Amino acid sequence: MRVEYDRDTCIGMFQCVDEWEGFEKNVDDGKADLVDGEETDDGVFVREIPEDAEFDAKFAARVCPVEAIRILDDDGEQLVP
């Protein structure tokens, strides 16, 4: 399972930061950063989700007000917007 994060879409509400330690505040930019995320496209970051963090990662995606976070299974199917 992996997370895909569109940083350009992020509006800096930081709700994801409160739900999963895989995100952290970047106060200078006013956006969240995906910890250990690899930029795969301009402004899109991806990383694998550890098994013990799957629930928190899904919740972080659910609380994002602009749906900048997507959770994908190993086949690339979207589990959470």
Side-chain angles (χ1 to χ4, degrees):
M1 185 178 299
R2 69 182 188 275
V3 58
E4 183 178 280
Y5 168 58
D6 184 343
R7 193 169 188 274
D8 292 338
T9 300
C10 177
I11 60 172
M13 295 295 293
F14 302 120
Q15 291 173 325
C16 58
V17 174
D18 293 335
E19 300 304 333
W20 181 38
E21 63 188 23
F23 287 98
E24 58 186 23
K25 287 183 183 181
N26 183 326
V27 179
D28 293 334
D29 291 347
K31 294 181 181 275
D33 287 331
L34 180 62
V35 177
D36 296 327
E38 179 182 325
E39 191 168 13
T40 58
D41 201 2
D42 190 32
V44 177
F45 295 82
V46 176
R47 75 169 263 198
E48 292 296 316
I49 302 170
E51 283 186 34
D52 63 344
E54 289 178 358
F55 179 81
D56 292 340
K58 288 177 182 177
F59 207 79
R62 286 187 181 102
V63 299
C64 179
V66 293
E67 298 181 358
I69 305 166
R70 298 184 334 141
I71 305 298
L72 307 168
D73 68 14
D74 292 334
D75 295 325
E77 297 293 320
Q78 186 170 338
L79 301 175
V80 178

